[in-house]
Amino acid sequence: MPPAADLVKVAIEWPGAFPKLMEIDQKKPLSAIIKEVCEGWSLGNHENFALQIADATNFYITEKNRNDIKNGSILRLTTSPYQTAVQLHERIQSSSMDAKLESLKDLANASRDITFAQEFINLDGISLLTLMVESGTERYQKLQKIMKPCFGDLLSFTLTAFVELMDHGIVSWDTFSVAFIKKIASYVNKSAMDTAVLQRSLAILESMVLNSQDLYHKVAQEITIGQLIPHLQGTDQDIQTYTIAVINALFLKAPEEKRQVRLQCAHTALTAYSLLCRTSNVIRSPTPINDEMAHQLYVLQVLTFNLLEDRMMTKMDPQDQAQRDIIFELRRIAFDVECEPNNGSIEKRKSMYTRDYKKLGFINHVNPAVDFTQIPPGMLALDNMLYFARHHQDAYIRIVLENSSREDKHECPFGRSSIELTKMLCEILKVGELRKSKQAVAEGSSFVMQVVREQIMRALTLKPNSLDQFKSRLQNLSYTEILKIRQSERMNQEDFQSRPILELREKIQPEIMELIKQQRLNRLCDGTCFRKISSRRRQDKFWYCRLSPNHKVLHYGDLEESPQGEVPHDSLQEKLPVADIKAVITGKDCPHMKEKGALKQNKEVLELAFSVLYESDEYLNFIAPDKHEYCVWIDGLNALLGKEMTSDYTKSDMDTLLSMEMKLRLLDLENIQIPEAPPPIPKEPSNYDFVYDCN
């Protein structure tokens, strides 16, 4: 008799018969098990049958994944992947519209399984689907008016099956014809198109552009970023997400050597981003933005900001007359100099230029072009100055004239300040992913510029929804207000820097750390719902993981939908003893991050990924729903393994709790009684209709 560890108790279904309860010996060949099941129901030709997981996935059991079968699993006896592929291959070519529609629906569902997908692809199924898209659907154009819903579903299921099959990475994207690309692009260019068809078409175009430089050129000939922008004006967030993804892909793949093409892509991408910022359809929508939309918006934002990198890293050529003319333009606007007197000497004109350039606030009064040879910010600073001078002339002239009449120690020169401010904004907004140490920035900045930087950083921390709101918050964070905030923070800090306080802090720190540890473990006992992330954007599958109350076992299992509360232990079929955990791995070192292609990885997902290594090479892979849950699980798992908790949240909690405990103990030393319960909340008045009697 085989060891109990090799036996799995399952139920097996067959249409029209009662489920069969049996024990599967995992050491026996899968074909032998299928033969035994078939014989139990008197079914011949057992090689034409297979076992599936009896859930919404319908995934086939193979020798590779059979170890995923757990006690209590429900399996289904069904036709083999090859037989199913042959049947669907024939049925989707049926002359009956109803039979064709039903077959394509089944194909779209079955294609999610890689075992079936391989068999269908071996039958040249991809070519059949592309042929149906290129020409086969033309037969039904005449029927489209009277059977429009049926036609939309027919095309939708065809494209869905195509996307599912291609997502397995079995077939290269370089194999598709121009006719197929034209057809897919036509669905995107049509103003009124079935939502499902549009969504699939956008997904196909994105994959084509990202996976093949040759296909990028073909797609770019059929569709432009400008033609995609109207799809952002709707209310369907999935369509908006896929549209932004295609815009990002076209922008990313635009060839560097073709500068004009890249600039055109840049202009239309900026138009798209401006549209998103102006409308309430995406960024300010009451509907929460999903993770994929947030990522695509982030990519689009990075791309638009990085358009400034070229100018930021371009030094001014002091000998370039066109560039020098920009400085002359700044001088002309500031001092209303239309023409220069020709009767003066060269020395007199040079003296006049030097005086004006000093008033404009340049470091080099003789040759201001030298001020723009430092990169960053390079020519970007001059671009900003010229834009301000042309579009806000009154404010520009007032700043220059007011500053030129101040004492040197109170001056805030326009030229130097503009260059420094541009450099600061490039760093804050990460133009070109510019990275500098805070110390270097502080050393190179005046006190005033440090305050300006703090104003901008504090205003951005409040997450303004518009530029007007950002300006309003900047005005509220005045110079005086910033100094008050600094003074308050400094005083609070100084109170806790004396030697006795530091000794007390060091003494109670282990107690606080133990409190944080218990909180993390309690959170793991509550559990968390995780999304199953695949190469596709579908995010409708969930799994749940929680720690047992005795901290000995991790319970986990798949869910049909996101739970409303905690999931009980007995509903989670899988178990992982904490004693078997060898290590916790994070970020790009996780196996489920290595499996993804470079194009599919993004910074947000990498920062939320972690894996639990157990036994020799087995992993339990996670992608946390947010940064907080990530830190909770990393801290909790490290605490279980007896390791130090080092997340940012632990440091923040430690500081908060330590500060609170220190203040309570200091109050106690002053013999100030601290009530056990908070004071009652004042009752709301029953009558608001009253006035104050001045008499």
Side-chain angles (χ1 to χ4, degrees):
M1 184 175 178
D6 296 332
L7 294 177
V8 182
K9 296 180 180 181
V10 299
I12 301 180
E13 299 175 341
W14 173 251
F18 287 107
K20 183 187 296 291
L21 300 177
M22 64 179 295
E23 289 185 340
I24 292 179
D25 182 0
Q26 291 286 42
K27 296 299 183 182
K28 291 176 61 176
L30 189 59
S31 58
I33 296 173
I34 294 172
K35 181 180 180 181
E36 181 183 346
V37 174
C38 290
E39 290 174 347
W41 275 308
S42 301
L43 299 174
N45 299 324
H46 68 274
E47 63 274 4
N48 293 334
F49 291 91
L51 291 175
Q52 282 180 328
I53 298 291
D55 59 12
T57 63
N58 291 329
F59 283 174
Y60 283 97
I61 302 298
T62 65
E63 291 291 354
K64 291 183 179 179
N65 64 19
R66 62 182 297 176
N67 289 327
D68 293 337
I69 303 175
K70 305 300 179 184
N71 280 320
S73 297
I74 301 176
L75 309 182
R76 180 186 298 118
L77 183 66
T78 185
T79 54
S80 68
Y82 172 75
Q83 290 294 327
T84 305
V86 170
Q87 293 169 10
L88 286 176
H89 193 275
E90 294 175 356
R91 286 168 54 200
I92 62 175
Q93 302 179 70
S94 171
S95 58
S96 168
M97 231 2 200
D98 291 336
K100 193 182 195 74
L101 180 61
E102 193 64 29
S103 302
L104 285 168
K105 183 178 180 181
D106 292 341
L107 177 63
N109 183 58
S111 296
R112 292 180 297 172
D113 184 86
I114 190 170
T115 309
F116 168 84
Q118 184 67 69
E119 297 292 351
F120 189 79
I121 290 171
N122 290 342
L123 296 172
D124 212 14
I126 292 284
S127 298
L128 176 59
L129 292 178
T130 55
L131 183 62
M132 291 171 63
V133 172
E134 291 174 18
S135 58
T137 54
E138 298 295 340
R139 308 175 198 168
Y140 309 108
Q141 294 295 330
K142 295 180 180 179
L143 300 174
Q144 188 173 356
K145 291 184 180 179
I146 59 175
M147 302 183 67
K148 189 171 183 180
C150 182
F151 176 79
D153 289 342
L154 185 79
L155 186 55
S156 171
F157 288 131
T158 303
L159 295 179
T160 301
F162 175 83
V163 170
E164 295 287 356
L165 292 168
M166 290 302 298
D167 274 345
H168 294 298
I170 300 172
V171 178
S172 170
W173 282 94
D174 288 310
T175 60
F176 297 105
S177 66
V178 174
F180 179 72
I181 298 171
K182 286 179 178 290
K183 183 63 66 174
I184 297 299
S186 71
Y187 299 143
V188 174
N189 288 330
K190 286 181 181 178
S191 57
M193 177 52 68
D194 180 82
T195 301
V197 173
L198 177 58
Q199 186 183 45
R200 275 40 165 209
S201 299
L202 289 167
I204 292 171
L205 289 179
E206 183 203 8
S207 295
M208 284 181 171
V209 172
L210 290 178
N211 287 285
S212 170
Q213 191 65 35
D214 183 53
L215 282 182
Y216 159 78
H217 294 290
K218 294 177 181 177
V219 171
Q221 291 176 356
E222 302 301 325
I223 192 166
T224 63
I225 295 179
Q227 291 171 307
L228 295 167
I229 290 178
H231 296 309
L232 298 175
Q233 297 172 326
T235 56
D236 190 309
Q237 192 172 119
D238 286 336
I239 295 297
Q240 293 168 336
T241 301
Y242 280 97
T243 301
I244 298 171
V246 177
I247 290 174
N248 290 339
L250 287 170
F251 192 9
L252 281 167
K253 288 295 182 176
E256 292 283 352
E257 64 273 10
K258 295 185 178 179
R259 182 173 178 80
Q260 193 61 37
V261 174
R262 192 162 181 80
L263 288 175
Q264 185 179 6
C265 287
H267 175 73
T268 46
L270 280 170
T271 303
Y273 189 72
S274 300
L275 174 66
L276 293 175
C277 292
R278 290 197 306 270
T279 65
S280 60
N281 292 340
V282 180
I283 294 178
R284 302 179 202 169
S285 171
T287 305
I289 295 177
N290 59 42
D291 293 342
E292 181 63 27
M293 170 66 87
H295 168 65
Q296 294 298 341
L297 286 173
Y298 166 77
V299 173
L300 182 59
Q301 186 182 57
V302 169
L303 290 173
T304 51
F305 277 137
N306 283 358
L307 294 172
L308 305 173
E309 183 180 11
D310 185 42
R311 294 293 284 174
M312 179 186 74
M313 301 305 293
T314 300
K315 295 182 179 181
M316 186 172 186
D317 181 2
Q319 307 304 320
D320 189 317
Q321 187 59 42
Q323 295 180 0
R324 292 171 62 87
D325 287 343
I326 299 177
I327 298 178
F328 293 153
E329 177 75 358
L330 291 174
R331 176 175 175 265
R332 183 194 66 77
I333 296 174
F335 305 113
D336 195 22
V337 180
E338 295 296 337
C339 59
E340 302 297 341
N342 294 323
N343 53 357
S345 64
I346 295 177
E347 287 75 14
K348 185 177 181 180
R349 289 202 299 272
K350 286 184 177 180
S351 176
M352 184 168 54
Y353 288 160
T354 301
R355 180 199 64 198
D356 291 347
Y357 290 148
K358 182 178 181 180
K359 290 181 180 180
L360 284 172
F362 291 112
I363 298 175
N364 193 315
H365 305 153
V366 178
N367 185 8
V370 177
D371 288 18
F372 301 98
T373 56
Q374 178 191 2
I375 55 173
M379 290 295 291
L380 183 59
L382 187 58
D383 294 341
N384 289 337
M385 293 167 68
L386 182 61
Y387 180 91
F388 180 71
R390 285 177 173 174
H391 293 83
H392 304 278
Q393 282 196 20
D394 292 342
Y396 169 65
I397 293 172
R398 184 177 67 253
I399 289 173
V400 173
L401 294 182
E402 285 179 356
N403 192 68
S404 62
S405 61
R406 291 175 178 168
E407 299 179 14
D408 289 347
K409 64 179 180 179
H410 295 299
E411 69 175 359
C412 185
F414 173 72
R416 276 174 279 172
S417 300
S418 298
I419 294 171
E420 195 65 33
L421 186 58
T422 301
K423 181 179 178 181
M424 180 194 304
L425 288 171
C426 288
E427 181 188 357
I428 292 174
L429 300 176
K430 296 184 178 180
V431 176
E433 288 298 317
L434 177 66
R435 289 184 173 86
K436 281 191 175 70
S437 67
K438 292 183 178 179
Q439 182 181 3
V441 174
E443 290 176 352
S445 305
S446 67
F447 177 74
V448 174
M449 294 308 294
Q450 291 179 42
V451 173
V452 171
R453 178 187 178 85
E454 192 167 345
Q455 286 175 313
I456 295 172
M457 294 297 290
R458 289 183 183 272
L460 289 175
T461 302
L462 297 174
K463 297 182 178 179
N465 290 326
S466 64
L467 190 58
D468 291 336
Q469 195 176 89
F470 175 65
K471 290 179 180 177
S472 174
R473 288 176 177 173
L474 278 178
Q475 291 173 353
N476 293 334
L477 290 167
S478 63
Y479 179 82
T480 305
E481 184 65 23
I482 291 292
L483 292 184
K484 287 181 180 178
I485 294 173
R486 282 188 168 188
Q487 180 69 15
S488 176
E489 291 176 348
R490 186 165 58 250
M491 289 179 65
N492 289 334
Q493 185 178 11
E494 288 172 355
D495 289 341
F496 288 90
Q497 297 304 313
S498 63
R499 183 177 176 180
I501 296 296
L502 291 176
E503 290 178 354
L504 177 61
R505 181 185 180 95
E506 185 177 353
K507 182 178 180 181
I508 64 176
Q509 188 165 338
E511 301 175 21
I512 302 298
M513 182 58 74
E514 182 62 27
L515 182 64
I516 295 173
K517 175 183 175 180
Q518 292 303 318
Q519 188 273 339
R520 298 294 193 264
L521 293 176
N522 289 339
R523 277 288 295 108
L524 264 62
C525 290
D526 293 339
T528 302
C529 178
F530 298 93
R531 287 186 181 274
K532 284 195 168 184
I533 305 296
S534 66
S535 59
R536 303 182 288 276
R537 286 197 176 81
R538 185 185 299 103
Q539 295 185 354
D540 55 357
K541 297 178 183 177
F542 304 89
W543 69 290
Y544 201 88
C545 187
R546 62 181 299 177
L547 180 66
S548 62
N550 62 4
H551 302 170
K552 296 294 181 66
V553 179
L554 285 177
H555 297 264
Y556 62 96
D558 294 342
L559 301 176
E560 291 296 330
E561 57 184 6
S562 180
Q564 299 302 315
E566 292 184 17
V567 178
H569 295 93
D570 53 10
S571 65
L572 301 173
Q573 301 296 326
E574 313 295 336
K575 295 181 181 180
L576 172 59
V578 172
D580 291 347
I581 298 178
K582 305 300 182 184
V584 178
I585 303 168
T586 61
K588 62 182 180 180
D589 295 327
C590 297
H592 58 314
M593 292 294 100
K594 293 180 180 179
E595 292 171 2
K596 292 175 176 285
L599 293 170
K600 295 295 182 182
Q601 290 189 14
N602 57 69
K603 184 179 179 181
E604 286 78 10
V605 172
L606 284 173
E607 289 179 347
L608 299 177
F610 63 99
S611 299
V612 173
L613 170 64
Y614 62 98
E615 294 182 357
S616 56
D617 58 350
E618 297 292 327
Y619 294 89
L620 189 60
N621 298 319
F622 300 75
I623 294 182
D626 52 51
K627 190 65 176 179
H628 179 264
E629 286 295 311
Y630 171 84
C631 291
V632 165
W633 276 85
I634 294 299
D635 285 344
L637 291 170
N638 281 330
L640 286 173
L641 299 178
K643 296 182 179 180
E644 186 179 358
M645 298 183 295
T646 58
S647 76
D648 293 339
Y649 282 89
T650 293
K651 296 175 183 176
S652 175
D653 289 349
M654 173 63 75
D655 291 340
T656 301
L657 294 173
L658 264 178
S659 176
M660 186 182 301
E661 181 67 17
M662 296 287 290
K663 290 176 180 178
L664 289 173
R665 295 202 180 194
L666 291 174
L667 288 172
D668 188 52
L669 286 174
E670 295 291 334
N671 201 25
I672 297 175
Q673 296 298 319
I674 302 172
E676 294 292 334
I681 300 175
K683 292 184 178 180
E684 184 178 351
S686 58
N687 180 16
Y688 289 93
D689 187 16
F690 59 86
V691 295
Y692 180 75
D693 187 356
C694 297
N695 296 323

